[in-house]
Amino acid sequence: MKKWFGITVLVVLVLALLVSGCTQNQISPTAVQPTAQQTTAMATMSSDTIKVASTSLGNILVDSQGKSLYYFALDIPSSGTSVCSGSCAAIWPVFSTDTIAVSPPLVASDFSSFVRTDGTKQTTYRGWPLYYFQADSNPGDVYGENVTHNWFVVKPDETVMIAERSSLGFFLVDKMGNTLYYFAKDTPGASSCTGACTDKWPPFDPGVISAPSALNPADFSTITRTDGTKQTTFMGRPLYYYSNDVKPGDTNGEGFNNLWYVANITGTVPTVPSPTPTPITPVPTQSIVSYGGY
């Protein structure tokens, strides 16, 4: 009897320890629930209508499904219009979202919208109308980059962009579409515009350069001016703003004094011919004839 009693007690003790161990190792359901911050973060990520995605061209803007977004060099930012309509819009469909929901590094205030001439809405980024490219079928496709030399993906860190005008060709603008200029008197890597000149022609220096793939990053550089400030150069030419350009798309400095020109992407300025001296035509000497005192 004692032997069986001892065995029974031992079995009871072992079972008690097993039950205790299992109870201690159980995970409370609340322990695996996300925190309020995690829940908010996940909700924000899943509800973003515009995102940043890594592609072969770097980080670019995409829609909620990862489709690439583009800008058109012929558009004028913040003008409330698009020059792509009709058959153009069939190839480059308009991007529009009624709700702007973004996460860093994007800022909601950089986005807006306008009503197109056909009555539909179009979303803008820093004033630039946004589009899809019809041939992009999968997330990450960037087949529209540099098509006809005037369509480009939109990069959130872009500091230099390309604009186009029929009368001026392709030229450099900043991320908001403000025109950049060359000064014909500058020499490679040096600025001849100093003092009061910079009040009218402020030097351009965004710090870090990010530009469309059509531009060679090696063509950009930075110089230190005589006053110690920095200035960005393209193909050796210092870049400037013009103080009388009051809105994106203005090119009021073009041809100023035959010395200032929009910063075309070829890095050249028109050659100003030296003034040709005007020949002096000698006045013929008139013969004096006497007619008997008259």
Side-chain angles (χ1 to χ4, degrees), residues 42-117:
M42 288 188 291
T44 300
M45 291 177 63
S46 62
S47 64
D48 282 356
T49 53
I50 305 170
K51 303 178 181 181
V52 175
S54 178
T55 69
S56 58
L57 296 173
N59 290 335
I60 68 169
L61 262 60
V62 298
D63 71 359
S64 60
Q65 304 302 312
K67 297 289 291 294
S68 302
L69 299 175
Y70 296 83
Y71 81 90
F72 190 24
L74 279 166
D75 281 337
I76 297 178
S78 302
S79 64
T81 60
S82 163
V83 298
C84 179
S85 59
S87 59
C88 173
I91 300 172
W92 301 91
V94 166
F95 169 72
S96 178
T97 178
D98 291 331
T99 303
I100 301 297
V102 298
S103 299
L106 300 180
V107 180
S109 59
D110 283 338
F111 296 88
S112 187
S113 65
F114 67 95
V115 178
R116 294 168 55 85
T117 54

Side-chain angles (χ1 to χ4, degrees), residues 3-269:
K3 180 178 179 180
W4 285 109
F5 178 78
I7 293 173
T8 301
V9 171
L10 181 60
V11 170
V12 170
L13 289 173
V14 169
L15 289 173
L17 288 173
L18 288 173
V19 171
S20 174
C22 290
T23 303
Q24 291 176 357
N25 288 328
Q26 286 180 345
I27 299 176
S28 170
T30 58
V32 296
Q33 296 300 312
T35 64
Q37 288 182 330
Q38 290 172 329
T39 302
T40 302
M42 288 188 291
T44 300
M45 291 177 63
S46 62
S47 64
D48 282 356
T49 53
I50 305 170
K51 303 178 181 181
V52 175
S54 178
T55 69
S56 58
L57 296 173
N59 290 335
I60 68 169
L61 262 60
V62 298
D63 71 359
S64 60
Q65 304 302 312
K67 297 289 291 294
S68 302
L69 299 175
Y70 296 83
Y71 81 90
F72 190 24
L74 279 166
D75 281 337
I76 297 178
S78 302
S79 64
T81 60
S82 163
V83 298
C84 179
S85 59
S87 59
C88 173
I91 300 172
W92 301 91
V94 166
F95 169 72
S96 178
T97 178
D98 291 331
T99 303
I100 301 297
V102 298
S103 299
L106 300 180
V107 180
S109 59
D110 283 338
F111 296 88
S112 187
S113 65
F114 67 95
V115 178
R116 294 168 55 85
T117 54
D118 61 3
T120 60
K121 286 187 177 181
Q122 184 165 10
T123 300
T124 64
Y125 179 61
R126 294 172 179 162
W128 295 90
L130 298 176
Y131 306 82
Y132 294 109
F133 182 43
Q134 186 184 45
D136 287 349
S137 56
N138 299 307
D141 285 351
V142 288
Y143 296 121
E145 176 71 1
N146 203 27
V147 167
T148 60
H149 308 296
N150 50 17
W151 289 93
F152 306 98
V153 296
V154 182
K155 300 178 180 179
D157 62 347
E158 211 151 29
T159 50
V160 174
M161 303 176 79
I162 296 176
E164 181 187 7
R165 301 292 178 272
S166 58
S167 60
L168 298 171
F170 298 98
F171 56 96
L172 305 180
V173 296
D174 71 4
K175 64 183 182 181
M176 306 302 292
N178 297 300
T179 304
L180 300 175
Y181 294 86
Y182 299 136
F183 185 29
K185 285 189 174 182
D186 284 345
T187 54
S191 170
S192 298
C193 177
T194 59
C197 174
T198 59
D199 293 335
K200 181 172 286 188
W201 302 93
F204 171 68
D205 177 37
V208 178
I209 292 295
S210 174
S213 64
L215 301 176
N216 185 351
D219 286 335
F220 290 94
S221 187
T222 303
I223 60 172
T224 301
R225 297 172 50 82
T226 54
D227 60 3
T229 59
K230 303 291 185 180
Q231 184 170 10
T232 298
T233 65
F234 180 69
M235 294 187 177
R237 293 190 177 278
L239 297 173
Y240 306 82
Y241 290 111
Y242 181 41
S243 61
N244 286 351
D245 284 349
V246 297
K247 63 184 183 300
D250 282 353
T251 55
N252 298 317
E254 170 65 12
F256 185 85
N257 280 350
N258 291 325
L259 292 172
W260 293 90
Y261 302 94
V262 296
N264 65 77
I265 63 173
T266 64
T268 59
V269 297

